[in-house]
Amino acid sequence: MTGLDITPELLEGGRAKAADAGVEVEWVEGDAEDLPCPDESFDRVFSTFGHMFAPRHRQTADEMTRVCGEGGVIGICC
């Protein structure tokens, strides 16, 4: 599982929560408009609020689509 945020302080909070829950997550600093991931690298792509704060929503949606493999699922919460 990979988690991404543009804000380093929020990554630290995510690391702490994941550790408390016993969940292994690779935390990556990055921008939702330019995801640092290869094409079709995930079968599930979820965004909880982050995508809605990106200034260019179409670019963010295109990036989520790019990293989601064929037949994958994209889910959002806002």
Side-chain angles (χ1 to χ4, degrees):
M1 184 181 326
T2 302
L4 178 132
D5 201 286
I6 199 167
T7 307
E9 295 82 10
L10 294 178
L11 292 172
E12 289 304 317
R15 285 185 185 101
K17 289 180 181 182
D20 289 346
V23 178
E24 290 186 33
V25 179
E26 175 189 3
W27 294 97
V28 178
E29 184 177 340
D31 187 337
E33 293 183 352
D34 185 21
L35 296 172
C37 308
D39 294 356
E40 299 185 10
S41 53
F42 301 100
D43 58 0
R44 303 287 185 265
V45 177
F46 297 98
S47 178
T48 307
F49 306 113
H51 65 286
M52 72 183 199
F53 293 113
R56 297 176 298 171
H57 296 127
R58 169 49 54 191
Q59 177 66 26
T60 302
D62 289 345
E63 278 295 279
M64 292 173 71
T65 302
R66 180 184 66 77
V67 301
C68 189
E70 185 175 338
V73 175
I74 296 175
I76 62 172
C77 177
C78 42

